[in-house]
Amino acid sequence: MARKKRILTATMADGWVKTIGPTNAPFTHFWRIVATLENGKTEVFWGHAASLKEANGKRVATQEAARQRGWRDYAFEVVALVEE
């Protein structure tokens, strides 16, 4: 039997809301990186993961990306997804 399609919502600490779906993927967490570039502009990267451990695993990759891309600063956040 096919899984029920779900609508998932992530609400970040700053109030920004991301809706994912409809999906039947087993996502539980949402991650976001807000990077400050050398020229002062910002870039936002985001994704979703099937576990908190998987989402937090992006933190190490983020540190490497910051070095490679020359980011002045960055913020990495993870929140749980809520099913609507």
Side-chain angles (χ1 to χ4, degrees):
M1 178 195 285
R3 278 184 168 167
K4 176 186 168 204
K5 298 273 185 181
R6 307 177 305 152
I7 303 292
L8 305 171
T9 303
T11 304
M12 306 308 282
D14 62 2
W16 186 77
V17 176
K18 172 68 177 170
T19 301
I20 302 164
T23 183
N24 61 2
F27 298 134
T28 61
H29 288 79
F30 178 84
W31 56 268
R32 177 177 75 169
I33 302 164
V34 180
T36 305
L37 308 179
E38 286 297 323
N39 62 8
K41 294 183 179 182
T42 58
E43 285 189 11
V44 178
F45 305 90
W46 60 268
H48 22 70
S51 69
L52 178 58
K53 182 178 179 180
E54 180 184 340
N56 280 326
K58 305 292 183 194
R59 192 177 307 270
V60 174
T62 300
Q63 292 168 348
E64 182 61 26
R67 281 191 295 275
Q68 288 179 351
R69 298 176 183 194
W71 295 343
R72 186 181 320 158
D73 190 22
Y74 68 90
F76 181 85
E77 303 169 90
V78 175
V79 296
L81 289 165
V82 176
E83 187 170 349
E84 290 184 6

